[in-house]
């Protein structure tokens, strides 16, 4: 299925990875700083389309990382890379648990509010 990019053009849907990360209580600041350093490196990967870190407002010490990739094979290649092993090593001391969910975008509908927010 093709997904509109919001400008009328159609393209293959990104491969979206959603990580649920449970971290040690009290380590928020250090975790966020380390994630930002790691995230900036991941953003340099040619097949990475973007990522976002969000913190749960309902569960203390729970974060979600949402990252888009050109396709599943390019994500899998990155996932097996030495660079990614190093990224995981840097984040491991903060984590107490988590889950990875692999998804394919079906529809991506921009809201009216998005256009107003950028005006």
């Amino acid at each position: 299925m093709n997904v509109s990019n919001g400008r009328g053009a159609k393209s293959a849907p990104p491969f979206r990875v959603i990580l649920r990360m449970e971290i040690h209580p009290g380590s928020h600041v250090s975790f966020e700083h380390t994630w930002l350093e790691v995230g900036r490196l991941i953003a340099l990967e040619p097949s990475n389309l973007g990522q976002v870190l969000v913190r749960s407002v309902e569960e203390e010490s729970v974060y979600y990382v949402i990252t888009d990739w050109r396709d599943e094979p390019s994500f899998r290649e990155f996932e097996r890379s030495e660079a990614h092993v190093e990224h995981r090593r840097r984040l491991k001391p903060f984590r107490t648990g988590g889950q990875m969910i692999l998804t394919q975008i079906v529809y991506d509908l921009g809201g009216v509010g998005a256009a107003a927010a950028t005006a």
Side-chain angles (χ1 to χ4, degrees):
M1 170 166 270
N2 289 336
V3 176
S4 173
N5 66 8
R7 295 179 298 279
K10 301 284 185 186
S11 61
F15 184 73
R16 181 164 287 171
V17 178
I18 304 168
L19 299 173
R20 182 179 193 276
M21 300 178 77
E22 301 157 15
I23 67 164
H24 294 285
S27 66
H28 293 80
V29 173
S30 296
F31 167 74
E32 290 176 12
H33 177 75
T34 302
W35 183 89
L36 185 58
E37 290 176 352
V38 168
R40 286 179 173 150
L41 294 171
I42 293 170
L44 298 174
E45 294 289 328
S47 59
N48 181 260
L49 304 178
Q51 57 196 318
V52 61
L53 175 69
V54 297
R55 183 175 52 235
S56 175
V57 297
E58 297 177 331
E59 296 177 278
E60 187 176 342
S61 301
V62 172
Y63 287 81
Y64 294 89
V65 178
I66 302 143
T67 183
D68 288 347
W69 296 87
R70 185 177 58 234
D71 52 35
E72 184 175 2
S74 61
F75 167 72
R76 297 293 188 182
E77 181 179 340
F78 166 75
E79 185 182 36
R80 291 185 299 270
S81 72
E82 287 299 319
H84 188 55
V85 169
E86 175 61 16
H87 301 322
R88 288 194 317 263
R89 185 196 62 74
R90 290 185 63 195
L91 292 168
K92 184 177 180 177
F94 300 103
R95 297 180 69 170
T96 61
Q99 177 183 18
M100 181 169 69
I101 303 165
L102 306 176
T103 71
Q104 190 75 55
I105 296 173
V106 177
Y107 294 110
D108 185 357
L109 305 174
V112 172
T118 60

